[in-house]
Amino acid sequence: GAGVSQSPSNKVTEKGKDVELRCDPISGHTALYWYRQSLGQGLEFLIYFQGNSAPDKSGLPSDRFSAERTGGSVSTLTIQRTQQEDSAVYLCASSLGGGMKETQYFGPGTRLLVL
Amino acid sequence: AQSVTQLGSHVSVSEGALVLLRCNYSSSVPPYLFWYVQYPNQGLQLLLKYTSAATLVKGINGFEAEFKKSETSFHLTKPSAHMSDAAEYFCAVTKGGTGGFKTIFGAGTRLFVKA
């Protein structure tokens, strides 16, 4: 596709369940980023990948959160034992290179609601 | 530490009036600065970015921003607001570290345009 895609677009889950969020970056983009946007708040940087490697995982909110990227393309953000405070919009972005000047291209997000 | 402060969570202007959205950053080194826009129910897209070339940066849709090192500011302006400019605007800075880098976003400013 032409842009970054994310699935599902919406996810409702029960507290304690695990969820997987998927991101398909723009073809050829080497860097991929995950953010969380909570209601009334800005974007919180979670993690970024250069290729399949994540140089810095310190932005992940807790050890319930994990992310992986395979084949330098698709990425999955997994939240285990979801809590109500995990409810947010999870945004994925990609960039052609992994430098600090790069423009990030954002997907439409996955809206997660934990009941 | 690098951070971004956007003054005013909401700004309201009349159609045709000047738009001014404020962003101040704190950084010990020359930063890379970005303005992104999020239209309702859409993902973020880049308006413009400063990467240490010209201090006056022109972006899409008639927006521009001026990097002022002495004021540590990167305010976004547009001479004449259109109804279609109603959206949320985010200022961001990239922060380097030993493990790579992070993108730090401000809390966002929602722009309302009155007819």
Side-chain angles (χ1 to χ4, degrees), chain A residues 16 20-21 26 30 33 46 53 68 74-75 77 81 92-93 99 115:
Chain A
E20 282 190 355
L21 311 179
I26 293 172
T30 63
Y33 313 80
L46 298 179
S53 299
E68 65 174 11
V74 172
S75 177
L77 177 69
R81 306 180 303 280
C92 175
L115 301 177

Side-chain angles (χ1 to χ4, degrees), chain B residues 30-76:
Chain B
Y32 300 119
L33 294 157
F34 304 78
W35 275 101
Y36 285 87
V37 60
Q38 187 174 31
Y39 297 104
N41 300 315
Q42 294 186 31
L44 280 78
Q45 64 182 88
L46 181 73
L47 274 177
L48 49 81
K49 63 181 176 180
Y50 168 75
T51 58
S52 71
T55 56
L56 182 62
V57 182
K58 295 186 182 297
I60 61 171
N61 301 337
F63 284 92
E64 63 182 36
E66 186 172 7
F67 172 70
K68 292 187 176 180
K69 183 178 179 181
S70 61
E71 299 178 6
T72 60
S73 69
F74 191 57
H75 301 330
L76 182 70

Side-chain angles (χ1 to χ4, degrees), chain A residues 33 35 37 41-43 45 48 55-56 58-59 91 98-104 106-108 111, chain B residues 32 34 36 38 41 43-44 46 49 51-52 88 90 94-96 99-103 105-107:
Chain A
Y33 313 80
Y35 296 89
Q37 186 176 26
Q41 299 186 28
L43 278 75
F45 183 92
Y48 93 99
D56 184 355
S58 63
L91 296 170
M100 294 171 63
K101 302 180 183 180
E102 295 284 336
T103 297
Q104 295 179 31
F106 284 79
R111 191 174 299 274
Chain B
Y32 300 119
F34 304 78
Y36 285 87
Q38 187 174 31
N41 300 315
L44 280 78
L46 181 73
K49 63 181 176 180
T51 58
S52 71
E88 188 149 23
F90 294 92
T94 50
K95 166 189 174 184
F101 70 91
K102 296 181 179 180
T103 304
F105 281 80

Side-chain angles (χ1 to χ4, degrees), chain B residues 13-16 39 80-87 111-115:
Chain B
V13 300
S14 297
E15 193 173 20
Y39 297 104
S80 176
H82 295 165
M83 297 296 290
S84 60
D85 294 328
L111 176 66
F112 297 92
V113 182
K114 300 174 292 187

